[in-house]
Amino acid sequence: MSNTSVLPLIEAEGPEAVAPCCPPLTERPFTAEEAETAARMFKALGDPVRLRLFSAVASHAAGEACVCDISDVGVSQPTVSHHLKKLKEAGLLTSERRGTWVYYRVEPSVLAAMGKLLTLGPAAA
Amino acid sequence: MSNTSVLPLIEAEGPEAVAPCCPPLTERPFTAEEAETAARMFKALGDPVRLRLFSAVASHAAGEACVCDISDVGVSQPTVSHHLKKLKEAGLLTSERRGTWVYYRVEPSVLAAMGKLLTLGPAAA
């Protein structure tokens, strides 16, 4: 199941072709709508357990991990599932069931869009 | 008053000399300690009003804004103050009182460190 529809404003044609939801934070004040979209992504990474799970998926071989590979973060399995669901809802992960296991992948276009938000524009350089 | 002591792991010698708290999210699974530090920064930007205030400061002339310049986000002055305090506590803004007004500045090294976290490593490329 893909969650790309959650963030329709991001359209990636490849790892380099990223159209982020918003300009760099240093470019101009965000509109209320841009802030809503971007805050959702930041909030998803604003929890230590979610961040550990996300980096476990992101750094796993081929950028994909079975839930069985990434549960070693000191919380219960239901809590792991809850946090993975939040990451999917924010568009940061996608998942696919293959046989017994669910596999999670990082959505590289979303990661790149968030990175772009944080680039330093002329005002801060 | 400077808040750089809030994030002692980040030592910047200039806009380009950033030693972030953590490796890129795609490099290896974060440790619990790294996740705590990084999640604090992401959480600070995980609120739409805070994100609008932050982008208002970041995009203002010379990367600095008086609180009088950035209060146009549809919330009360005490709420603006509360959110600016949260951004300072996360190390994203510093502030200085000059005469009547408090001026806020973006901490470029923190912004750069967050951007670096989100760079795509070999696993996701």
Side-chain angles (χ1 to χ4, degrees), chain A residues 15-16 24-32 34-40 42-43 45-49 51-52 54-56 58-63 106 108-109 111-112 114-115 117-120 123-125, chain B residues 15-16 24-32 34-40 42-43 45-49 51-52 54-56 58-63 106 108-109 111-112 114-115 117-120 123-125:
Chain A
E16 300 306 312
L25 281 159
T26 51
E27 197 170 295
R28 59 166 172 75
F30 273 23
T31 65
E34 288 168 344
E36 284 287 345
T37 305
R40 192 157 37 122
F42 284 119
K43 192 176 179 183
L45 294 182
D47 176 277
V49 174
L51 208 46
R52 289 185 74 186
F54 186 78
S55 68
S59 62
H60 206 260
V106 166
S109 62
L111 206 60
M114 291 180 75
L117 282 189
L118 296 167
T119 53
L120 300 173
Chain B
E16 299 306 312
L25 281 159
T26 51
E27 198 169 293
R28 59 166 171 73
F30 272 23
T31 65
E34 288 168 344
E36 284 287 345
T37 305
R40 193 156 37 120
F42 284 119
K43 192 175 178 183
L45 295 182
D47 176 277
V49 173
L51 208 47
R52 289 184 74 187
F54 186 79
S55 68
S59 62
H60 207 259
V106 166
S109 62
L111 207 60
M114 291 181 75
L117 282 189
L118 296 167
T119 52
L120 300 173

Side-chain angles (χ1 to χ4, degrees), chain A residues 15-117:
Chain A
E16 300 306 312
V18 174
C21 76
C22 317
L25 281 159
T26 51
E27 197 170 295
R28 59 166 172 75
F30 273 23
T31 65
E33 194 175 32
E34 288 168 344
E36 284 287 345
T37 305
R40 192 157 37 122
M41 299 190 283
F42 284 119
K43 192 176 179 183
L45 294 182
D47 176 277
V49 174
R50 280 205 291 278
L51 208 46
R52 289 185 74 186
L53 288 169
F54 186 78
S55 68
V57 174
S59 62
H60 206 260
E64 183 183 75
C66 167
V67 69
C68 58
D69 296 321
I70 55 170
S71 299
D72 186 24
V73 291
V75 296
S76 69
Q77 182 57 52
T79 304
V80 167
S81 297
H82 165 78
H83 284 306
L84 289 171
K85 185 161 173 270
K86 291 279 180 188
L87 288 166
K88 281 177 60 181
E89 284 170 359
L92 292 166
L93 292 181
T94 55
S95 69
E96 190 187 357
R97 178 175 288 277
R98 292 205 296 273
T100 312
W101 295 103
V102 177
Y103 290 81
Y104 291 86
R105 293 191 77 83
V106 166
E107 191 52 66
S109 62
V110 179
L111 206 60
M114 291 180 75
K116 203 163 184 177
L117 282 189

Side-chain angles (χ1 to χ4, degrees), chain B:
Chain B
M1 188 179 76
S2 167
N3 259 353
T4 37
S5 61
V6 175
L7 283 171
L9 297 171
I10 293 166
E11 290 169 22
E13 289 160 19
E16 299 306 312
V18 174
C21 77
C22 317
L25 281 159
T26 51
E27 198 169 293
R28 59 166 171 73
F30 272 23
T31 65
E33 194 175 31
E34 288 168 344
E36 284 287 345
T37 305
R40 193 156 37 120
M41 298 189 284
F42 284 119
K43 192 175 178 183
L45 295 182
D47 176 277
V49 173
R50 278 204 293 278
L51 208 47
R52 289 184 74 187
L53 287 170
F54 186 79
S55 68
V57 174
S59 62
H60 207 259
E64 182 182 76
C66 167
V67 70
C68 57
D69 296 321
I70 56 171
S71 299
D72 186 23
V73 291
V75 296
S76 69
Q77 182 56 51
T79 303
V80 167
S81 297
H82 165 79
H83 284 305
L84 289 170
K85 185 161 173 270
K86 291 278 179 190
L87 288 165
K88 281 177 59 182
E89 285 170 358
L92 292 166
L93 292 182
T94 56
S95 69
E96 190 186 358
R97 178 176 289 277
R98 291 205 296 273
T100 312
W101 295 104
V102 177
Y103 290 81
Y104 291 87
R105 294 190 74 83
V106 166
E107 191 52 65
S109 62
V110 180
L111 207 60
M114 291 181 75
K116 203 163 185 177
L117 282 189
L118 296 167
T119 52
L120 300 173

